[in-house]
Amino acid sequence: MENNSLKHLAIIMDGNGRYAKNMGKPRFVGHQLGMENVENITLACDELGIKVLTLYAFSTENWARPKEEVAFLMNLPVKFFNKFMPTLMKNNVRVKIMGFLDQLPEKTYQVVQDAMEQTRNNTGLVLNFAFNYGSRKEIVAATQAIAQKVADHELQVSDIDEELLSRNMLTGDLGDLSDPDLLIRTSGEERLSNFLLWQLAYTEFAFTDKLWPEFTKEDLTKIVQDFQKRHRRFGGLDK
Ligand code: FPP
């Protein structure tokens, strides 16, 4: 019987639009309910002893959606932190937002910076939003940062190794916890959509047909229990 420890969970929260459509409502209603579910699942993760929860909230490709939907999504962090900051503080949650934040509208930028600042000294679960995040862009940025150091003679080419690459990713500050142990994608889609391509090298995957707004603590607990029984070999052989 395996007993894998789940320290870092990543979730692709998919299916908000379909959930709203099934209810006969406009898409933004799905995003609103999806946002509310972030709180439930965050608290559930905390209870399960998870240390880092990384949520894919807005991708660098999501700008291609209709203007009104993009505006609604950009305002979600404002709503989320307004509503849930007291709960996050009470539960000692530290907020991290990773992505290309300088491209965010001013108000969104301020709100996410404030949330990180306010929770900076919290020592519990790290709630890590991937917001305006794209993994290929992240890898390009890491490569550029390293190449610049080589050009400036601060690094030798032979210093470049996996550890250095990991530290230069947007998850680099998570140290030992930068790679997820488990990735969940809701809504029945089975693809990565430019999410954490470097960090997911040895991650276990779980897919569920549940749409994000209807994904419950019970669904999560079941997936986590299944994960704990899996046999992770990291490319090695059985003992
Ligand atoms: C994918 O569903 C979901 C998104 C693009 C947005 C996810 C955002 C949240 C759940 C809220 C995030 C909360 C904060 C605080 C930022 P979709 O719209 O692609 O659904 P569909 O595939 O059914 O159309």
Short mmCIF file of all heavy atoms in Angstrom, two decimals, residues 29-67:
data_model
loop_
_atom_site.label_atom_id
_atom_site.label_comp_id
_atom_site.label_asym_id
_atom_site.label_seq_id
_atom_site.Cartn_x
_atom_site.Cartn_y
_atom_site.Cartn_z
N VAL A 29 -21.69 34.18 -15.09
CA VAL A 29 -22.27 33.56 -13.88
C VAL A 29 -21.42 32.33 -13.48
O VAL A 29 -21.14 32.10 -12.30
CB VAL A 29 -23.75 33.16 -14.11
CG1 VAL A 29 -24.30 32.36 -12.93
CG2 VAL A 29 -24.59 34.40 -14.36
N GLY A 30 -20.98 31.59 -14.48
CA GLY A 30 -20.11 30.44 -14.21
C GLY A 30 -18.79 30.86 -13.59
O GLY A 30 -18.29 30.21 -12.66
N HIS A 31 -18.23 31.96 -14.09
CA HIS A 31 -16.95 32.43 -13.53
C HIS A 31 -17.14 32.90 -12.08
O HIS A 31 -16.28 32.68 -11.23
CB HIS A 31 -16.38 33.57 -14.38
CG HIS A 31 -15.95 33.12 -15.75
ND1 HIS A 31 -15.18 31.99 -15.95
CD2 HIS A 31 -16.17 33.65 -16.99
CE1 HIS A 31 -14.96 31.85 -17.25
NE2 HIS A 31 -15.56 32.84 -17.91
N GLN A 32 -18.28 33.56 -11.84
CA GLN A 32 -18.56 34.03 -10.47
C GLN A 32 -18.65 32.83 -9.52
O GLN A 32 -18.03 32.82 -8.44
CB GLN A 32 -19.89 34.81 -10.48
CG GLN A 32 -20.40 35.23 -9.12
CD GLN A 32 -19.65 36.43 -8.55
OE1 GLN A 32 -19.16 37.26 -9.32
NE2 GLN A 32 -19.55 36.50 -7.23
N LEU A 33 -19.41 31.79 -9.93
CA LEU A 33 -19.55 30.60 -9.08
C LEU A 33 -18.20 29.88 -8.94
O LEU A 33 -17.88 29.34 -7.89
CB LEU A 33 -20.62 29.66 -9.65
CG LEU A 33 -22.04 30.25 -9.62
CD1 LEU A 33 -23.01 29.38 -10.42
CD2 LEU A 33 -22.52 30.40 -8.17
N GLY A 34 -17.45 29.90 -10.04
CA GLY A 34 -16.11 29.29 -10.01
C GLY A 34 -15.22 29.99 -9.00
O GLY A 34 -14.48 29.35 -8.25
N MET A 35 -15.31 31.29 -8.97
CA MET A 35 -14.51 32.07 -8.01
C MET A 35 -14.91 31.70 -6.59
O MET A 35 -14.06 31.52 -5.71
CB MET A 35 -14.75 33.56 -8.24
CG MET A 35 -14.02 34.42 -7.25
SD MET A 35 -14.72 36.06 -7.12
CE MET A 35 -15.98 35.81 -5.90
N GLU A 36 -16.22 31.55 -6.37
CA GLU A 36 -16.65 31.20 -5.01
C GLU A 36 -16.16 29.81 -4.61
O GLU A 36 -15.82 29.57 -3.45
CB GLU A 36 -18.17 31.36 -4.88
CG GLU A 36 -18.47 32.85 -4.77
CD GLU A 36 -19.91 33.23 -4.98
OE1 GLU A 36 -20.78 32.36 -4.87
OE2 GLU A 36 -20.14 34.42 -5.25
N ASN A 37 -16.08 28.93 -5.59
CA ASN A 37 -15.60 27.58 -5.28
C ASN A 37 -14.12 27.56 -4.91
O ASN A 37 -13.65 26.64 -4.25
CB ASN A 37 -15.88 26.63 -6.44
CG ASN A 37 -15.93 25.19 -5.98
OD1 ASN A 37 -16.28 24.90 -4.83
ND2 ASN A 37 -15.54 24.28 -6.85
N VAL A 38 -13.38 28.57 -5.36
CA VAL A 38 -11.96 28.64 -5.00
C VAL A 38 -11.82 28.66 -3.48
O VAL A 38 -10.95 27.99 -2.91
CB VAL A 38 -11.28 29.88 -5.64
CG1 VAL A 38 -9.90 30.12 -5.04
CG2 VAL A 38 -11.17 29.70 -7.15
N GLU A 39 -12.70 29.38 -2.81
CA GLU A 39 -12.60 29.44 -1.34
C GLU A 39 -12.84 28.05 -0.72
O GLU A 39 -12.07 27.60 0.13
CB GLU A 39 -13.60 30.45 -0.77
CG GLU A 39 -13.29 30.76 0.68
CD GLU A 39 -14.50 31.09 1.52
OE1 GLU A 39 -15.64 30.82 1.10
OE2 GLU A 39 -14.30 31.60 2.64
N ASN A 40 -13.93 27.38 -1.16
CA ASN A 40 -14.23 26.03 -0.61
C ASN A 40 -13.05 25.09 -0.77
O ASN A 40 -12.66 24.38 0.16
CB ASN A 40 -15.41 25.37 -1.36
CG ASN A 40 -16.66 26.19 -1.26
OD1 ASN A 40 -16.85 26.90 -0.28
ND2 ASN A 40 -17.50 26.11 -2.29
N ILE A 41 -12.51 25.07 -1.99
CA ILE A 41 -11.45 24.10 -2.28
C ILE A 41 -10.15 24.49 -1.56
O ILE A 41 -9.40 23.62 -1.11
CB ILE A 41 -11.27 23.92 -3.81
CG1 ILE A 41 -12.57 23.35 -4.43
CG2 ILE A 41 -10.08 23.05 -4.15
CD1 ILE A 41 -13.03 21.99 -3.90
N THR A 42 -9.91 25.77 -1.41
CA THR A 42 -8.72 26.21 -0.67
C THR A 42 -8.80 25.70 0.78
O THR A 42 -7.83 25.14 1.31
CB THR A 42 -8.62 27.76 -0.67
OG1 THR A 42 -8.53 28.19 -2.02
CG2 THR A 42 -7.39 28.24 0.10
N LEU A 43 -9.95 25.88 1.41
CA LEU A 43 -10.09 25.45 2.81
C LEU A 43 -10.01 23.92 2.91
O LEU A 43 -9.41 23.38 3.84
CB LEU A 43 -11.40 25.97 3.40
CG LEU A 43 -11.49 27.52 3.47
CD1 LEU A 43 -12.84 27.95 4.04
CD2 LEU A 43 -10.34 28.13 4.27
N ALA A 44 -10.57 23.24 1.91
CA ALA A 44 -10.49 21.77 1.90
C ALA A 44 -9.03 21.32 1.77
O ALA A 44 -8.60 20.37 2.44
CB ALA A 44 -11.32 21.21 0.75
N CYS A 45 -8.26 21.99 0.94
CA CYS A 45 -6.85 21.63 0.77
C CYS A 45 -6.09 21.83 2.07
O CYS A 45 -5.25 21.02 2.45
CB CYS A 45 -6.20 22.48 -0.33
SG CYS A 45 -6.69 21.96 -1.97
N ASP A 46 -6.42 22.91 2.76
CA ASP A 46 -5.78 23.19 4.03
C ASP A 46 -6.07 22.05 5.01
O ASP A 46 -5.16 21.52 5.66
CB ASP A 46 -6.32 24.54 4.56
CG ASP A 46 -5.45 25.08 5.67
OD1 ASP A 46 -4.26 24.73 5.72
OD2 ASP A 46 -5.97 25.86 6.49
N GLU A 47 -7.33 21.63 5.06
CA GLU A 47 -7.70 20.53 5.96
C GLU A 47 -6.99 19.23 5.60
O GLU A 47 -6.70 18.41 6.46
CB GLU A 47 -9.22 20.29 5.92
CG GLU A 47 -10.00 21.28 6.75
CD GLU A 47 -11.50 21.08 6.60
OE1 GLU A 47 -11.95 19.92 6.45
OE2 GLU A 47 -12.21 22.10 6.60
N LEU A 48 -6.74 19.04 4.30
CA LEU A 48 -6.06 17.82 3.86
C LEU A 48 -4.54 17.88 4.09
O LEU A 48 -3.82 16.94 3.75
CB LEU A 48 -6.35 17.56 2.38
CG LEU A 48 -7.77 17.09 2.04
CD1 LEU A 48 -8.04 17.21 0.54
CD2 LEU A 48 -7.99 15.65 2.51
N GLY A 49 -4.07 19.00 4.59
CA GLY A 49 -2.64 19.11 4.91
C GLY A 49 -1.76 19.46 3.72
O GLY A 49 -0.53 19.33 3.78
N ILE A 50 -2.40 19.91 2.63
CA ILE A 50 -1.64 20.30 1.44
C ILE A 50 -0.90 21.61 1.74
O ILE A 50 -1.42 22.47 2.46
CB ILE A 50 -2.63 20.44 0.25
CG1 ILE A 50 -3.15 19.04 -0.12
CG2 ILE A 50 -2.01 21.14 -0.95
CD1 ILE A 50 -4.36 19.03 -1.03
N LYS A 51 0.31 21.74 1.22
CA LYS A 51 1.13 22.93 1.53
C LYS A 51 0.99 24.02 0.47
O LYS A 51 1.11 25.20 0.77
CB LYS A 51 2.61 22.55 1.64
CG LYS A 51 2.90 21.41 2.59
CD LYS A 51 2.86 21.89 4.02
CE LYS A 51 3.14 20.77 4.99
NZ LYS A 51 2.18 20.76 6.10
N VAL A 52 0.87 23.60 -0.80
CA VAL A 52 0.77 24.58 -1.89
C VAL A 52 -0.38 24.18 -2.81
O VAL A 52 -0.47 23.01 -3.24
CB VAL A 52 2.06 24.63 -2.75
CG1 VAL A 52 1.94 25.66 -3.88
CG2 VAL A 52 3.29 24.95 -1.89
N LEU A 53 -1.26 25.13 -3.10
CA LEU A 53 -2.33 24.91 -4.07
C LEU A 53 -2.13 25.91 -5.21
O LEU A 53 -2.19 27.12 -4.99
CB LEU A 53 -3.70 25.15 -3.41
CG LEU A 53 -4.91 25.15 -4.35
CD1 LEU A 53 -5.08 23.79 -5.04
CD2 LEU A 53 -6.19 25.53 -3.60
N THR A 54 -1.84 25.39 -6.39
CA THR A 54 -1.64 26.27 -7.56
C THR A 54 -2.86 26.17 -8.46
O THR A 54 -3.23 25.07 -8.90
CB THR A 54 -0.36 25.88 -8.32
OG1 THR A 54 0.77 26.08 -7.47
CG2 THR A 54 -0.18 26.74 -9.58
N LEU A 55 -3.49 27.30 -8.74
CA LEU A 55 -4.73 27.33 -9.53
C LEU A 55 -4.52 28.10 -10.82
O LEU A 55 -4.03 29.24 -10.79
CB LEU A 55 -5.83 28.01 -8.71
CG LEU A 55 -6.22 27.33 -7.40
CD1 LEU A 55 -7.23 28.21 -6.64
CD2 LEU A 55 -6.82 25.95 -7.65
N TYR A 56 -4.92 27.49 -11.93
CA TYR A 56 -4.79 28.17 -13.23
C TYR A 56 -6.03 29.05 -13.41
O TYR A 56 -7.11 28.56 -13.71
CB TYR A 56 -4.73 27.10 -14.33
CG TYR A 56 -4.04 27.50 -15.62
CD1 TYR A 56 -3.40 28.72 -15.78
CD2 TYR A 56 -4.01 26.61 -16.69
CE1 TYR A 56 -2.75 29.04 -16.97
CE2 TYR A 56 -3.37 26.92 -17.88
CZ TYR A 56 -2.74 28.14 -18.02
OH TYR A 56 -2.11 28.44 -19.20
N ALA A 57 -5.86 30.35 -13.20
CA ALA A 57 -7.01 31.25 -13.19
C ALA A 57 -7.13 32.07 -14.47
O ALA A 57 -8.24 32.45 -14.85
CB ALA A 57 -6.92 32.19 -11.99
N PHE A 58 -6.01 32.38 -15.12
CA PHE A 58 -6.08 33.14 -16.37
C PHE A 58 -4.79 32.86 -17.14
O PHE A 58 -3.69 33.07 -16.62
CB PHE A 58 -6.21 34.65 -16.09
CG PHE A 58 -6.54 35.47 -17.31
CD1 PHE A 58 -7.87 35.72 -17.66
CD2 PHE A 58 -5.53 35.99 -18.12
CE1 PHE A 58 -8.18 36.47 -18.80
CE2 PHE A 58 -5.83 36.74 -19.25
CZ PHE A 58 -7.16 36.98 -19.59
N SER A 59 -4.95 32.40 -18.38
CA SER A 59 -3.75 32.07 -19.17
C SER A 59 -3.41 33.21 -20.11
O SER A 59 -4.27 34.06 -20.42
CB SER A 59 -3.98 30.79 -19.97
OG SER A 59 -4.76 31.07 -21.11
N THR A 60 -2.17 33.21 -20.59
CA THR A 60 -1.75 34.26 -21.54
C THR A 60 -2.58 34.17 -22.83
O THR A 60 -2.61 35.12 -23.59
CB THR A 60 -0.24 34.13 -21.86
OG1 THR A 60 0.06 32.76 -22.13
CG2 THR A 60 0.61 34.60 -20.70
N GLU A 61 -3.24 33.02 -23.05
CA GLU A 61 -4.08 32.86 -24.25
C GLU A 61 -5.51 33.35 -24.01
O GLU A 61 -6.27 33.56 -24.96
CB GLU A 61 -4.13 31.38 -24.66
CG GLU A 61 -2.82 30.84 -25.26
CD GLU A 61 -1.70 30.65 -24.23
OE1 GLU A 61 -1.99 30.25 -23.09
OE2 GLU A 61 -0.53 30.94 -24.58
N ASN A 62 -5.88 33.54 -22.74
CA ASN A 62 -7.27 33.93 -22.44
C ASN A 62 -7.62 35.36 -22.87
O ASN A 62 -8.79 35.73 -22.94
CB ASN A 62 -7.59 33.79 -20.94
CG ASN A 62 -7.80 32.35 -20.51
OD1 ASN A 62 -7.55 31.99 -19.35
ND2 ASN A 62 -8.26 31.49 -21.41
N TRP A 63 -6.60 36.17 -23.23
CA TRP A 63 -6.88 37.53 -23.73
C TRP A 63 -7.68 37.48 -25.02
O TRP A 63 -8.30 38.48 -25.40
CB TRP A 63 -5.58 38.29 -23.98
CG TRP A 63 -4.77 38.57 -22.75
CD1 TRP A 63 -3.63 37.92 -22.37
CD2 TRP A 63 -5.01 39.56 -21.75
NE1 TRP A 63 -3.15 38.44 -21.19
CE2 TRP A 63 -3.97 39.45 -20.78
CE3 TRP A 63 -6.00 40.52 -21.56
CZ2 TRP A 63 -3.91 40.27 -19.66
CZ3 TRP A 63 -5.93 41.34 -20.44
CH2 TRP A 63 -4.89 41.21 -19.50
N ALA A 64 -7.65 36.34 -25.71
CA ALA A 64 -8.36 36.22 -26.99
C ALA A 64 -9.88 36.08 -26.81
O ALA A 64 -10.63 36.06 -27.79
CB ALA A 64 -7.83 35.00 -27.76
N ARG A 65 -10.35 35.98 -25.58
CA ARG A 65 -11.81 35.88 -25.34
C ARG A 65 -12.47 37.24 -25.56
O ARG A 65 -11.78 38.26 -25.58
CB ARG A 65 -12.05 35.38 -23.92
CG ARG A 65 -11.55 33.96 -23.75
CD ARG A 65 -11.99 33.36 -22.46
NE ARG A 65 -11.56 31.96 -22.41
CZ ARG A 65 -12.09 31.05 -21.63
NH1 ARG A 65 -13.08 31.36 -20.81
NH2 ARG A 65 -11.65 29.81 -21.64
N PRO A 66 -13.81 37.27 -25.70
CA PRO A 66 -14.48 38.55 -25.92
C PRO A 66 -14.11 39.55 -24.82
O PRO A 66 -13.88 39.18 -23.66
CB PRO A 66 -15.97 38.19 -25.84
CG PRO A 66 -16.04 36.74 -26.14
CD PRO A 66 -14.75 36.13 -25.68
N LYS A 67 -14.06 40.82 -25.23
CA LYS A 67 -13.61 41.91 -24.36
C LYS A 67 -14.33 41.91 -23.01
O LYS A 67 -13.72 42.07 -21.95
CB LYS A 67 -13.89 43.22 -25.11
CG LYS A 67 -13.10 44.39 -24.69
CD LYS A 67 -13.12 45.53 -25.72
CE LYS A 67 -14.30 46.44 -25.57
NZ LYS A 67 -15.41 46.44 -26.44
#
